């Protein structure tokens, strides 16, 4: 099943996509109390996909757990740029749900940044409460997978050891274009990911290169924090980020960034100045 978030009378709903139609699954807040059961119960009220206003396909209470330096191909450039060593454990930081946007949304460059950096990521979305989960059982708690672009304000990120602000610039978290349920998606360890800036390939990686796979990340989190339905785990990005290039390259107003995750699709977002943000 392929799912999106969409607006119905100002309320965030979930819907299943079938061809060019969206079948409404009801308010997101209700859907994410028991997503597998609601999805299995079916949907009604079809409407043309082109007619809906899409929203992030997670609840407004979602927590976004991001994993830094989680591809071997990214570890070297992280060491060169930030002096960060290969992490023995998943390096988890957080995003706010308010930073999430869908494909097509214009993303502004903060005024004191030379531009934004791209980070294509496979993201796992939790479907059932998870506490003290062992790696071997962890994927049973994943309801769906989606794409994520962890657009980063590197100047602010690098100013201090805590980089929350640099990872939460307004509208800097494109997610989607759809959720693909785990039963349809298959093995998260066998996925190609790619970033294109203005049509040029900037990153091309594979989840076989992950340092810590999805199940291990879930195990690491859940002996401290209970994961809840709708929580998102962005699993990290491969090598090829703009800050690691010589000379450095960033996304500037007028640019277009695309991230593509195999079996999910393409997220495409234009980059604008803050003055252009509407």
């Amino acid at each position: 099943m392929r799912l999106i978030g969409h607006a119905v009378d100002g309320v965030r709903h979930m819907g299943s996509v079938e061809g060019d139609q969206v079948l409404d699954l009801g308010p997101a807040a209700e859907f994410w109390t028991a997503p597998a059961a609601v999805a299995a119960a079916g949907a009604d009220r079809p409407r043309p996909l082109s007619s809906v206003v899409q929203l992030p396909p997670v609840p407004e209470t979602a927590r976004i757990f991001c994993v830094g330096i989680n591809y071997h191909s990214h570890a070297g450039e992280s060491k060169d740029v930030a002096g960060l060593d290969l992490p023995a454990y998943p390096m988890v930081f957080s995003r706010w749900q308010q930073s999430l946007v869908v494909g097509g949304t214009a993303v502004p460059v903060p005024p004191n940044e030379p531009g934004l950096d791209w980070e294509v990521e496979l993201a796992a979305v939790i479907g059932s409460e998870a506490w003290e989960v062992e790696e071997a059982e962890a994927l049973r708690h994943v309801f769906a997978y989606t794409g994520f672009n962890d657009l980063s304000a590197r100047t602010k990120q690098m100013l201090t050891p805590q980089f929350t602000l640099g990872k939460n610039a307004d509208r800097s978290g494109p997610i989607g274009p759809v959720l693909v349920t785990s039963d349809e998606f298959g093995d998260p360890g066998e996925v190609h990911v790619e970033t294109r800036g203005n049509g040029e390939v900037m990153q091309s990686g594979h989840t076989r290169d992950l340092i810590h796979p999805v199940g291990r990340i879930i195990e690491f989190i859940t002996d401290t924090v209970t994961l809840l339905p709708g929580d998102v785990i962005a699993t990290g990005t491969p090598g090829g980020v703009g800050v690691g290039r010589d000379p450095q390259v960033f996304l500037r107003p007028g640019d277009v960034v695309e991230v593509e995750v195999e079996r999910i699709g393409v997220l495409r977002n234009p980059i604008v100045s803050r003055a252009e943000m509407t």
Side-chain angles (χ1 to χ4, degrees):
M1 182 178 287
R2 303 173 77 83
L3 305 168
I4 62 168
H6 63 111
V8 177
D9 298 328
V11 176
R12 185 178 300 191
H13 277 226
M14 294 296 295
S16 65
V17 178
E18 296 185 9
D20 61 357
Q21 298 287 306
V22 176
L23 303 179
D24 187 41
L25 291 165
E30 297 176 13
F31 176 91
W32 286 105
T33 60
V38 176
D44 57 12
R45 290 174 286 178
R47 63 190 68 190
L49 178 60
S50 60
S51 72
V52 303
V53 176
Q54 292 195 39
L55 298 171
V58 294
E60 292 174 280
T61 55
R63 296 170 297 176
I64 297 87
F65 298 82
C66 300
V67 184
I69 316 179
N70 200 32
Y71 280 74
H72 291 281
S73 62
H74 182 47
E77 59 190 8
S78 296
K79 177 70 172 179
D80 293 341
V81 171
L84 297 172
D85 293 320
L86 190 76
Y89 302 97
M91 190 174 77
V92 179
F93 61 92
S94 60
R95 266 189 175 270
W96 301 312
Q97 190 278 147
Q98 289 84 349
S99 73
L100 301 184
V101 295
V102 297
T105 304
V107 180
V109 177
N112 294 313
E113 295 285 339
L116 292 170
D117 206 349
W118 52 79
E119 291 194 10
V120 61
E121 308 202 14
L122 171 69
V125 185
I126 298 298
S128 57
E129 186 173 305
W131 167 251
E132 285 193 322
V133 177
E134 295 184 0
E135 180 177 353
E137 303 296 321
L139 295 188
R140 295 185 181 183
H141 292 274
V142 177
F143 172 68
Y145 295 89
T146 192
F148 194 76
N149 189 357
D150 184 27
L151 289 167
S152 302
R154 297 296 192 196
T155 299
K156 187 61 65 81
Q157 179 186 345
M158 300 297 181
L159 286 177
T160 74
Q162 291 291 337
F163 44 81
T164 300
L165 290 180
K167 291 292 191 172
N168 279 282
D170 291 344
R171 299 188 182 181
S172 64
I175 186 171
V178 294
L179 301 185
V180 179
T181 52
S182 298
D183 58 341
E184 180 177 327
F185 185 76
D187 185 355
E190 291 292 335
V191 182
H192 179 257
V193 297
E194 183 172 288
T195 298
R196 297 181 290 274
N198 300 320
E200 179 183 354
V201 175
M202 297 297 186
Q203 291 178 288
S204 182
H206 199 282
T207 55
R208 285 193 295 265
D209 190 40
L210 284 170
I211 298 168
H212 303 290
V214 178
R216 191 177 306 158
I217 297 167
I218 292 172
E219 179 183 62
F220 181 72
I221 292 172
T222 60
D223 68 354
T224 307
V225 174
T226 302
L227 289 172
L228 302 174
D231 285 344
V232 178
I233 299 173
T235 59
T237 199
V241 295
V243 74
R245 294 169 179 259
D246 186 15
Q248 293 179 342
V249 180
F250 297 108
L251 295 163
R252 304 177 189 276
D255 290 342
V256 174
V257 61
E258 296 175 309
V259 297
E260 182 170 5
V261 177
E262 185 181 4
R263 304 197 295 275
I264 293 172
V266 178
L267 270 172
R268 183 180 188 272
N269 293 86
I271 306 299
V272 298
S273 68
R274 182 74 190 194
E276 297 174 275
M277 192 174 86
T278 58

